[in-house]
Amino acid sequence: MNEKCNKYEALFVFSDEDTLREHVESCEECQKEQEIMDKVSALIQEVKPAFLKQRKSSAKIKAACAAFAILLSGVTLGVINLNTDIADTIRYGEALSVEDYGFPVDSYGLIMVD
């Protein structure tokens, strides 16, 4: 009964390249594992340029969204600063009431309905 060698993973993760290479040269099962890892590495290298291109395009989209958010917030703050009615109504720590919006209210502060 042949026992399988299960040292490849431990050597791959925890040892240096020289120790791994020496063991792979002497062990047939680990050679098969190394061939599989080489094939996977080749596939990753083949797909890498397409993945990086996709990542660059998503970075452009993120930059465009950030620029739009900055532009929108700048316009909003500019409108609030130029419109004195809004600037006088809104103060830090104050809550707007229905009366501030210009709706007719009754003595309880509720919107008056005719």
Side-chain angles (χ1 to χ4, degrees):
M1 194 157 113
N2 281 339
E3 290 191 25
K4 288 188 166 185
C5 177
N6 56 5
K7 294 181 182 178
Y8 183 80
E9 183 178 353
L11 289 173
F12 184 80
V13 173
F14 297 113
S15 70
D16 58 348
E17 291 182 25
D18 295 331
T19 309
L20 176 65
R21 189 171 10 96
E22 289 173 5
H23 179 72
V24 167
E25 289 173 358
S26 63
C27 180
E28 186 176 321
E29 290 180 23
C30 292
Q31 285 177 357
K32 291 177 185 176
E33 287 288 326
Q34 183 65 34
E35 289 174 6
I36 292 171
M37 292 297 281
D38 290 340
K39 288 179 183 178
V40 170
S41 178
L43 286 173
I44 291 173
Q45 292 301 322
E46 183 179 334
V47 176
K48 186 177 178 180
F51 179 73
L52 291 177
K53 184 184 291 183
Q54 180 184 12
R55 218 175 205 191
K56 287 180 184 177
S57 65
S58 67
K60 289 178 183 177
I61 291 172
K62 288 178 185 177
C65 289
F68 177 73
I70 291 170
L71 178 69
L72 182 66
S73 64
V75 167
T76 304
L77 291 175
V79 167
I80 288 175
N81 284 338
L82 291 177
N83 190 349
T84 57
D85 294 337
I86 295 174
D88 290 338
T89 305
I90 300 174
R91 298 272 185 247
Y92 181 74
E94 291 183 7
L96 292 177
S97 66
V98 179
E99 219 171 358
D100 293 333
Y101 288 115
F103 293 111
V105 294
D106 59 5
S107 61
Y108 296 107
L110 300 174
I111 297 176
M112 186 181 304
V113 180
D114 291 331

